[in-house]
């Protein structure tokens, strides 16, 4: 899999992840944001703060909110979840 070059968050808690080789993945997080580890992403302002690096998407805890842990999803984790 090539490197992530862009991530777009949508109002329906989906991520469109674009890769260097021209492929992309639509990752639906609607069910995940209902679970405790991801619940803060239910707030769209938090969800839209998604960042990325070569092989993962993530959300920082934010300096103003140190009670939250950062959230990170690797490309491998996302692809594995799409298989099922």
């Amino acid at each position: 899999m090539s490197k992530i070059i862009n991530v777009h968050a949508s109002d329906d808690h989906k991520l469109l992840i674009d890769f260097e080789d021209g492929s992309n993945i639509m990752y639906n997080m609607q069910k995940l944001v209902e679970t405790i580890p991801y619940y803060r992403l239910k707030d769209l302002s938090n969800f839209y703060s998604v960042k990325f690096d070569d092989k993962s998407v993530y959300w920082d805890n934010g300096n103003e909110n140190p009670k939250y842990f950062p959230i990170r999803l690797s490309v491998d984790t996302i692809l594995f979840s799409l298989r099922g």
Side-chain angles (χ1 to χ4, degrees), residues 43-61:
D43 178 337
L44 286 175
S45 63
N46 289 334
F47 188 69
Y48 279 123
S49 70
V50 65
K51 297 177 179 147
F52 64 93
D53 58 27
D54 291 349
K55 298 291 180 185
S56 62
V57 296
Y58 62 94
W59 293 263
D60 288 334
N61 63 348

Side-chain angles (χ1 to χ4, degrees), residues 3-80:
K3 295 190 294 188
I4 295 173
I5 58 167
N6 207 355
V7 176
H8 306 276
S10 67
D11 287 346
D12 56 356
H13 290 98
K14 293 179 183 172
L15 296 175
L16 177 61
I17 305 168
D18 298 320
F19 294 94
E20 186 177 51
D21 68 358
S23 63
N24 58 47
I25 295 171
M26 177 66 72
Y27 187 57
N28 185 344
M29 293 189 63
Q30 291 170 337
K31 290 182 181 178
L32 274 180
V33 299
E34 298 296 333
T35 64
I36 291 173
Y38 302 95
Y39 194 76
R40 73 179 164 102
L41 299 180
K42 190 170 178 139
D43 178 337
L44 286 175
S45 63
N46 289 334
F47 188 69
Y48 279 123
S49 70
V50 65
K51 297 177 179 147
F52 64 93
D53 58 27
D54 291 349
K55 298 291 180 185
S56 62
V57 296
Y58 62 94
W59 293 263
D60 288 334
N61 63 348
N63 293 335
E64 70 284 350
N65 231 334
K67 68 181 179 178
Y68 295 127
F69 290 105
I71 296 171
R72 180 174 293 271
L73 293 167
S74 71
V75 171
D76 291 338
T77 299
I78 292 168
L79 291 175
F80 183 76

Side-chain angles (χ1 to χ4, degrees), residues 2 16 81:
S2 62
L16 177 61
S81 70

